[in-house]
Each structure stands twice: as C-alpha cells, then as structure tokens.
Amino acid sequence: MGNSLKAILAFVPSNKCQKYFLEDLEEMPVDKMVDLSGRQMRRLPVHICSFRELVKLYLSDNNLNHLPPELEQLQNLQILALDFNNFKALPLVVCTLKQLCILYLGNNKLCSLPLELRLLQNLKTLWIESNCLQYLPEVVCELSLLKTLHAGSNALRCLPPQLQCLQELRTIWLSGNLLSEFPPVLLDMPFLEVIDVDRNSIRFFPSLAHLPGLKLVIYDHNPCRNAPKVAKGVRRVGRWSEETPEPRKRSGAVIEIALDEKPLLPPAAKTEIE
C-alpha cells in the first residue's frame, strides 16, 4: 500500500478503516498471531480482543495512544508490540496480561512506567528505547525474570541500585543516553553478558575484569581516556579495543589510537519466544 493511500486512510472514520483492514480477520488466526503493524490505526479493533487464544499481537507503527479495556481478555498473550506509536503513558490494561514474555514499547512518548508493571512477572524482554525517560523506573527492577533490557536513546543519567536484584538479566542496552559515569550498579552484576553504553558522556571506565559472565562491552563514542579492562576472551567495541586496555604512553605523552572501524553491534531484531 502506497504512502499516499495510507495518508488518506488515516482520515477515514475509524470503523470503516478497521473494516477495510480487518475484513479477513473475523476468526482466530491458525497461527495465533495478529500483525496490524503500519496500518495508521488510531484505535485497536475491539473484536481482536475476542481471540482469547492469541499468543502474538503486533501493533507497531500506528497512531495508537490508548487501548480498549477488552484487551484484558487476551490472557494467553506472550508477545505484544506497541512500539512506534503515540503512547504518553502505558495503558494499565497491558499490566493485566500476566503471560507476557516480550513487550515492545520503544519509540513512544513515555516519561514513566506504572507501578502495575510489576504484575508482569513472566516478562523476559523489555524494549523501552527512544522514549522520554529521564530515569529508569524502579518498577523495572521488580521484573525478576527479565533477561534483556533495551533502554537506549532516552535521557538516563544513572541507574537505580535496585537493578542488581535482576539476577536473570544478561543483556542491557544503554546507548544514546546522558550517562556521565559508568553506572556503578553494573559492577555488582556478575551475570551480565552484554553491556552497551555507546554514545554517552562517560570519561572514565572502571575495570570490568571481575565480571565472569561478560562477553561483550560496547563503549564507543564516549569522551573516555581509557578503555575498560576486561577478562580474557571478552570482546570490546570502542577506542583502543583491539590494541591495549589503555592508550599507549610515551615520555608522558598520550598517543591516541584510531577508532575501531568495526560496525557497532545493534540490538537484535525483534525476537521470538525462546
């Protein structure tokens, strides 16, 4: 469908627009998945909420800013994608979907997350990148099974110490925030495998050599004067990453080594349930 037609349909009364898009969705899909991404929808068709066995619901890239209370009927839902919409607050009905494993909230206008998020105790992957978060909501630290946290491109200046309670957390993406120092709490999380602090304002990196689970650290595009020390076998992406943990010194002068030319490793595309 061309962009011009999409633009026209965005102004069609919602009921007619939904009928046009969903005329072939009168029954529960065999694969238990509904993908309504990129449809310029301003509201979720309520009859989708009658598909009670639905496991995956993709609503990315629309014009949604609320969800109907009937969504609570989808108690088997495991993947919900709400990224690239207009949400200023997470609809509380999402927090009633207790089987959710993966929740995409990136590229919205969220400034906080509700305390009710703690009810999603099966959540393993949370995407909250590209929002308006000035701090990481402490309620995230209550998601005990969380394995992957994408919180890049916000305005985070620090991380709460409670984050170390997430002993299942393996990957944390913090690229493009306002961190002026390496978050101390990450030094107390030996189970972390991937740490991404690319594109922040970190001037000094403490040693990460004591983190036994670490496999990859991305620290490029920071005004740092040293590379983080890591254990043998840990890959680093950033200044001086392949040569030596520290910039070379000669007669008291610091000789900077060229930036690593390897492309950054972005977060993987949307994942399926493991």
Side-chain angles (χ1 to χ4, degrees):
M1 181 183 297
N3 289 334
S4 58
L5 181 53
K6 282 186 178 181
I8 293 173
L9 286 174
F11 294 96
V12 175
S14 56
N15 288 339
K16 293 182 181 179
C17 188
Q18 290 164 14
K19 184 177 180 180
Y20 177 84
F21 286 130
L22 302 169
E23 57 188 4
D24 57 344
L25 271 178
E26 297 300 328
E27 298 181 358
M28 171 74 188
V30 176
D31 59 3
K32 299 183 180 181
M33 178 185 77
V34 168
D35 187 351
L36 298 176
S37 301
R39 304 299 183 93
Q40 301 298 312
M41 294 188 308
R42 300 187 181 191
R43 68 175 69 177
L44 175 65
V46 174
H47 85 269
I48 295 298
C49 301
S50 66
F51 300 159
R52 299 195 178 200
E53 299 303 313
L54 203 64
V55 172
K56 305 172 187 177
L57 178 57
Y58 296 94
L59 302 173
S60 307
D61 193 17
N62 281 293
N63 292 315
L64 301 173
N65 57 28
H66 69 281
L67 295 171
E70 289 84 356
L71 191 73
E72 186 176 4
Q73 299 175 32
L74 302 182
Q75 286 300 312
N76 291 297
L77 205 62
Q78 296 181 39
I79 298 178
L80 177 60
L82 299 174
D83 46 334
F84 292 93
N85 276 285
N86 294 318
F87 292 103
K88 294 182 179 180
L90 179 64
L92 292 183
V93 66
V94 172
C95 302
T96 68
L97 306 175
K98 297 182 180 180
Q99 296 305 313
L100 278 184
C101 295
I102 302 176
L103 179 58
Y104 299 105
L105 299 175
N107 290 273
N108 279 286
K109 301 173 182 177
L110 301 174
C111 294
S112 63
L113 293 173
L115 292 177
E116 288 80 357
L117 189 72
R118 62 166 63 109
L119 299 175
L120 302 183
Q121 285 299 309
N122 285 306
L123 207 61
K124 295 181 179 179
T125 299
L126 177 62
W127 293 61
I128 51 175
E129 78 285 1
S130 299
N131 275 286
C132 304
L133 298 170
Q134 297 185 15
Y135 61 92
L136 184 68
E138 292 184 8
V139 66
V140 172
C141 305
E142 299 184 45
L143 303 173
S144 60
L145 296 184
L146 199 65
K147 295 181 66 175
T148 302
L149 176 61
H150 295 268
S153 299
N154 279 286
L156 305 181
R157 296 181 181 273
C158 61
L159 297 180
Q162 296 90 332
L163 193 69
Q164 65 180 307
C165 296
L166 297 183
Q167 298 191 14
E168 297 298 320
L169 194 65
R170 297 294 179 267
T171 304
I172 185 165
W173 304 92
L174 299 166
S175 176
N177 277 288
L178 300 176
L179 300 173
S180 59
E181 66 173 346
F182 186 83
V185 65
L186 300 185
L187 300 175
D188 296 324
M189 301 178 71
F191 32 80
L192 283 175
E193 297 179 359
V194 177
I195 298 175
D196 176 14
V197 288
D198 178 47
R199 300 184 187 279
N200 277 277
S201 301
I202 301 172
R203 294 186 174 275
F204 175 80
F205 279 94
S207 173
L208 306 180
H210 66 289
L211 300 179
L214 195 60
K215 298 178 181 178
L216 170 66
V217 55
I218 305 174
Y219 64 94
D220 213 0
H221 303 99
N222 279 281
C224 56
R225 303 302 300 179
N226 72 312
K229 292 181 180 179
V230 294
K232 185 176 180 180
V234 178
R235 185 181 177 195
R236 297 175 299 175
V237 177
R239 270 187 170 186
W240 317 297
S241 61
E242 299 302 328
E243 285 81 6
T244 173
E246 301 292 341
R248 294 173 183 168
K249 296 181 179 179
R250 183 182 301 166
S251 301
V254 176
I255 302 175
E256 293 190 359
I257 298 171
L259 288 174
D260 181 41
E261 296 299 329
K262 291 185 176 65
L264 294 182
L265 303 180
K270 291 181 179 178
T271 52
E272 298 294 330
I273 302 171
E274 297 180 352

